[in-house]
Each structure stands twice: as C-alpha cells, then as structure tokens.
Amino acid sequence: MDFTNKRVLVTGGSRGIGFAVVKAFLDAGAYVAVNGKTMQSVGAAIEKLGGGERLVAAPADIGTVPGCESAVKTAIDDFDGLDILVNSAGILRDKSFLKMDMKDFETVLGVHLLGTVYMTKAAFAIMSEKGYGRIVNTTSAAGLYGNFG
C-alpha cells in the first residue's frame, strides 16, 4: 500500500487496533495524527513509534463535539489538510447489565456511537469542501458480537 503524503487522523490511535492502524499508515508513507483521550497515552504511543515529522499528537475526548473538532483542527493545522479519517476509538466497561450504572453506559455510547458521528461530521465538512476524503469505521469482535456485560 502506498499512502505517501496522505494526511490521516486515527481515533483511538494510542492503543490496540488504532495503534496498529497508525503504524500501518506510517509504514505506507502517510502523515498521521494520533488521537487518544490523554496526552500521556498519545505521547507514549508516539514514543513507541519513534516520533518524527510525520506524526502529531491530537489528544481529545471524542465523546464531545469540541473534542472532535479539536482533533480534526490539529491534523489540519499540522499537515495542511486531512485526507483520511479512521474511527477506531473504543472503550469497555465489563460489567453485567444489572451492575452497570447509566453513567458507564453513556460513556461507552459517547465514544463508540456519538464519537464516531461527531468525528465524522467534523472531518466530512473539510473533505467535502475539497472534494476528496475517505472515512473508515472499525470495530472489534466485541462490537460485532458483544462481550461480557
């Protein structure tokens, strides 16, 4: 795959599936903005990847509209545009339904569902203006088949 000079934003890029996606895009020549909720988690991921000019931190809470707009703005400001968005962020609260409080449930929905919508809306506006862009939504097996709780 050749993504030379493509500008990519990966949510949940500091761990798991998202981290693997970030690494694959870097290996394919892309510029990558790494999103995670905290600067600490994003910084650790960037350090693991060796840093460099093709990598930028875009920490933000994607369960909020301002967080998503901030992550997209970081990618655009640092790379002068955005070509690809990969929605890969996800969290778990492994509790049975009876033991899970509604705050935990809302937090999971905020990242998985609303975070994907908010991030897509923020990126789509930019991509639409320039007439080009790709948006990829991912999930784990837990997203497809469920998990404990």
Side-chain angles (χ1 to χ4, degrees):
M1 294 187 306
D2 183 11
F3 287 94
T4 301
N5 298 326
K6 293 294 183 193
R7 294 140 325 167
V8 183
L9 170 59
V10 180
T11 69
S14 63
R15 301 180 341 162
I17 295 169
F19 183 81
V21 169
V22 168
K23 186 169 179 352
F25 273 113
L26 282 174
D27 290 346
Y31 290 86
V32 183
V34 180
N35 165 261
K37 188 168 183 178
T38 67
M39 187 59 199
Q40 182 180 3
S41 65
V42 173
I46 289 175
E47 191 175 308
K48 265 188 194 173
L49 293 164
E53 68 181 31
R54 293 187 301 122
L55 213 57
V56 67
D61 179 357
I62 68 156
T64 68
V65 170
C68 292
E69 290 172 347
S70 170
V72 168
K73 184 178 182 328
T74 296
I76 291 168
D77 288 350
D78 281 43
F79 301 141
D80 197 31
L82 181 63
D83 301 304
I84 301 166
L85 166 66
V86 179
N87 286 308
S88 182
I91 61 171
L92 289 175
R93 298 294 186 261
D94 287 333
K95 297 179 181 177
S96 68
F97 186 68
L98 290 174
K99 292 181 181 178
M100 181 182 287
D101 63 39
M102 291 311 295
K103 183 67 179 152
D104 281 343
F105 184 75
E106 290 167 359
T107 300
V108 171
L109 280 181
V111 171
H112 289 264
L113 178 62
L114 295 176
T116 299
V117 171
Y118 298 155
M119 189 62 76
T120 299
K121 185 156 177 64
F124 189 77
I126 303 304
M127 293 174 180
S128 191
E129 277 178 25
K130 69 176 188 172
Y132 176 83
R134 300 292 183 262
I135 298 171
V136 178
N137 297 320
T138 66
T139 187
S140 66
L144 291 174
Y145 305 111
N147 207 22
F148 172 78

